[in-house]
Amino acid sequence: MNDKNPKSSSGKFRKWLKRKHKKKQPDPYYLQDELSDGDDFMEDIYVSSLEIDPCTSTNELRIFVGTWNVAGRAPVGSLAVDLEEWLKPQDAVDIYVLGFQEIVPLKTRTVIGAEDPRKATNWNLLIGKALNESSGCPWLTPMLNPISSDSYHYVRNPGLEKGASFSAICDNARMRGKPITEHRHHQQAVIGGSKYKLMASKKMVGVFISVWMKEELATKYSVSNVKVSSVACGIMGYLGNKGSVSVSMSIERTSFCFIAAHLASGEKQGDEGRRNHQVSEIFKRTSFPRSAKDEHNLHPLTILGHDRIFWFGDLNYRLYNLEDNLARHLIQKKDWKALQEFDQLRREQEDGGVFQGWREGNIEFAPTYKYSSSNCNRYSGGVPSRSGEKQRTPAWCDRILWYGKGVKLLSYLRSEIKFSDHRPVSALFSTQIEVNKSSNPRIFSKDTIVPNIMPPEQIIFPLQGTSGNYEEGKATLLSLIVKDTEASSIHTQKL
């Protein structure tokens, strides 16, 4: 049957259904998913059923994403003031996602030696202090045990009124090639009535990610499947001086992935290819494996399987084929538009080398690297060059990108903290999450229709709870949607 023919009965129904929805919903949000190729009928059923679903609503969250290369310097107590200036804690931000690079010096001992969790713990202490004390909330020393596994999830603990617990699950089958054994440990993220709770934290050599959420939101929403993953792709392609640490989590029915990365350095021609390769490796090798606990609570396994994705860090892309003195001249003039014509990352995106389809805010700030030293506003090198200084053409090495629908950029800027040879960068986003309001067996959910490998007969009949032939099932389903469409307002009031 040719469903595309407007003269056919199903074609007329499709036109009528779209016209009716257009009147009721002037700007409908169409959720897309992979359906069977050529199965236009099922695609229309899926889209229409989501549009009229009275059981879900969308809520807004504001997410602060920040990245900072701290050049191997240890976090000192006085840095809390600088952190507070960078993070600007305020009620408008619901989630803070912070990525750091070089929290330890990238020397042989730290790159090939055992992981030392103390630096990550100290950074989390300072972050918690900056986020909570500025808002008048008490901040006591948190009990932070190192999380050594690559797979763990956050669990709300009703027994802790003012705390949160973590459950760590080591996937020994993946890590050591042995049968899966579960190891659990619980930690109270913060003692006292703090405003922001630590949801996830992961360190790999010098790359570090820390995710914080408002305590009231962690209680209000279902936060599940908080998992971490690390990919080392530095020396010989497998050492952790370069690579990424990632956090996957679901808030209600919306999945998020945050990737903090540190890519290959260098400003010689061809170095961009190494960076592109490392991005490809991170995409291929980042995984959030399921455990026995996830049997009925599936989550994305890969980066691109998530609804909202944020990639940030010292990506190390430089200015392409631009003389150093001309670059400094454009910086002095604050001609960011002219300077961006030479930005290597944007060139690679346009040429299809990396991050195709990803978005970044308009850069309206000076290059973030490389400054001469701490407490200095002067870029390294230049003419005349000071003795012992590295000659580096300034560049926007520190970047924040995102992928997925339902994300709006509110601000993209750098801070002027003179702690290292990089300036920290931050972006504030507004994003939507899908929240369950109630359950209604007559509404067809995304999980009901997917996977697409099922033949149409197996998809339709479970929805009706009946048996019969395909054409009869299709007719019944069409009539059901027409009935729901005509009385959608009545159904909503009853719910």
Side-chain angles (χ1 to χ4, degrees):
M1 182 173 65
N2 184 8
D3 288 344
K4 294 293 184 184
N5 182 2
K7 295 184 180 180
S8 66
S9 58
S10 60
K12 292 178 180 178
F13 168 75
R14 182 180 291 101
K15 288 183 66 178
W16 173 85
L17 187 60
K18 288 182 178 179
R19 186 167 63 250
K20 194 168 185 66
H21 277 294
K22 188 175 182 180
K23 291 179 181 178
K24 290 186 176 183
Q25 302 175 1
D27 186 22
Y29 176 69
Y30 290 88
L31 294 177
Q32 298 178 352
D33 210 311
E34 296 179 359
L35 298 172
S36 301
D37 292 339
D39 196 349
D40 298 318
F41 165 75
M42 288 307 301
E43 183 174 2
D44 286 345
I45 298 299
Y46 172 60
V47 172
S48 300
S49 63
L50 285 177
E51 288 177 352
I52 62 176
D53 187 350
C55 297
T56 62
S57 64
T58 56
N59 289 4
E60 180 191 34
L61 289 182
R62 292 205 171 190
I63 301 178
F64 179 105
V65 177
T67 179
W68 192 9
N69 185 321
V70 295
R73 299 193 63 193
V76 293
S78 59
L79 183 60
V81 177
D82 291 329
L83 276 176
E84 187 175 330
E85 170 62 26
W86 179 36
L87 304 180
K88 295 180 174 63
Q90 52 186 304
D91 288 336
V93 179
D94 299 305
I95 301 173
Y96 279 91
V97 183
L98 306 178
F100 296 85
Q101 303 81 44
E102 297 189 42
I103 66 168
V104 298
L106 298 184
K107 300 178 181 179
T108 303
R109 177 172 52 85
T110 57
V111 172
I112 66 176
E115 285 284 355
D116 183 353
R118 288 175 295 179
K119 288 290 179 67
T121 299
N122 290 337
W123 275 105
N124 277 331
L125 285 171
L126 278 177
I127 295 168
K129 180 181 178 68
L131 290 178
N132 290 291
E133 286 195 348
S134 63
S135 58
C137 294
W139 173 249
L140 304 179
T141 302
M143 297 165 58
L144 293 171
N145 297 324
I147 299 169
S148 58
S149 73
D150 279 351
S151 178
Y152 77 97
H153 62 273
Y154 167 83
V155 180
R156 266 185 302 188
N157 190 340
L160 295 175
E161 284 186 22
K162 296 183 178 180
S165 66
F166 289 83
S167 176
I169 301 174
C170 295
D171 189 348
N172 289 334
R174 183 171 66 85
M175 298 173 65
R176 301 187 180 89
K178 298 178 181 179
I180 295 177
T181 305
E182 291 191 1
H183 301 278
R184 303 173 184 272
H185 71 268
H186 296 281
Q187 60 183 0
Q188 190 172 348
V190 177
I191 305 173
S194 59
K195 184 175 183 179
Y196 288 94
K197 298 290 186 181
L198 178 62
M199 304 299 291
S201 176
K202 178 67 177 176
K203 172 186 176 295
M204 181 191 71
V205 186
V207 189
F208 172 59
I209 189 170
S210 187
V211 180
W212 299 72
M213 178 184 284
K214 273 186 179 178
E215 181 183 11
E216 61 190 75
L217 293 182
T219 304
K220 176 180 178 181
Y221 295 123
S222 171
V223 181
S224 61
N225 296 318
V226 182
K227 297 175 180 289
V228 295
S229 176
S230 59
V231 173
C233 51
I235 301 171
M236 297 183 294
Y238 283 95
L239 290 186
N241 61 307
K242 295 293 187 290
S244 69
V245 288
S246 306
V247 171
S248 170
M249 64 191 301
S250 294
I251 305 176
E252 293 291 336
R253 295 178 57 178
T254 304
S255 58
F256 292 84
C257 188
F258 306 105
I259 306 102
H262 191 187
L263 303 182
S265 60
E267 55 183 7
K268 299 188 303 293
Q269 187 171 358
D271 286 338
E272 70 277 8
R274 294 195 298 135
R275 292 185 269 273
N276 293 354
H277 176 71
Q278 289 177 350
V279 170
S280 176
E281 285 294 296
I282 292 170
F283 273 118
K284 287 193 298 184
R285 291 161 52 193
T286 298
S287 64
F288 305 97
R290 296 178 180 136
S291 66
K293 278 183 165 293
D294 300 325
E295 183 179 357
H296 302 294
N297 191 14
L298 301 183
H299 63 87
L301 300 176
T302 62
I303 290 174
L304 291 176
H306 293 77
D307 300 314
R308 318 275 189 267
I309 312 169
F310 302 87
W311 188 305
F312 47 98
D314 181 0
L315 307 188
N316 255 321
Y317 287 94
R318 307 302 174 94
L319 296 178
Y320 193 77
N321 290 338
L322 180 63
E323 293 183 2
D324 181 81
N325 59 347
L326 179 55
R328 293 172 190 268
H329 175 68
L330 293 174
I331 292 171
Q332 190 173 12
K333 291 177 58 180
K334 297 185 178 180
D335 193 346
W336 313 134
K337 185 175 181 180
L339 201 61
Q340 284 179 56
E341 294 295 321
F342 300 91
D343 179 60
Q344 199 176 69
L345 176 54
R346 299 206 171 182
R347 286 273 191 97
E348 291 300 307
Q349 282 186 281
E350 292 170 1
D351 294 341
V354 73
F355 289 119
Q356 295 183 59
W358 288 66
R359 300 179 65 188
E360 182 186 19
N362 188 34
I363 301 176
E364 296 180 345
F365 49 82
T368 56
Y369 175 83
K370 169 181 174 56
Y371 282 88
S372 179
S373 62
S374 61
N375 298 317
C376 183
N377 281 326
R378 186 179 61 82
Y379 289 107
S380 179
V383 179
S385 179
R386 295 189 179 183
S387 176
E389 274 194 346
K390 293 183 178 179
Q391 184 69 33
R392 294 286 186 269
T393 300
W396 288 295
C397 290
D398 309 279
R399 313 290 279 268
I400 301 172
L401 299 90
W402 78 92
Y403 187 86
K405 295 184 177 180
V407 178
K408 179 182 179 182
L409 178 67
L410 302 179
S411 67
Y412 190 32
L413 46 87
R414 72 172 225 171
S415 296
E416 301 306 320
I417 304 175
K418 303 171 186 177
F419 185 73
S420 79
D421 55 358
H422 288 251
R423 294 294 186 264
V425 173
S426 63
L428 182 61
F429 297 94
S430 170
T431 186
Q432 302 290 327
I433 61 169
E434 188 178 345
V435 180
N436 285 324
K437 292 199 298 185
S438 62
S439 59
N440 186 342
R442 299 186 65 200
I443 301 302
F444 314 118
S445 71
K446 175 179 176 180
D447 294 333
T448 308
I449 294 179
V450 178
N452 60 9
I453 57 175
M454 296 173 63
E457 293 83 354
Q458 291 180 329
I459 297 175
I460 288 181
F461 294 134
L463 294 178
Q464 303 176 79
T466 63
S467 60
N469 59 50
Y470 175 72
E471 292 299 328
E472 179 183 348
K474 181 189 287 188
T476 304
L477 197 55
L478 282 171
S479 64
L480 178 61
I481 288 181
V482 172
K483 183 177 179 181
D484 279 350
T485 304
E486 292 175 339
S488 59
S489 61
I490 299 176
H491 288 315
T492 303
Q493 292 174 4
K494 289 182 178 180
L495 289 171

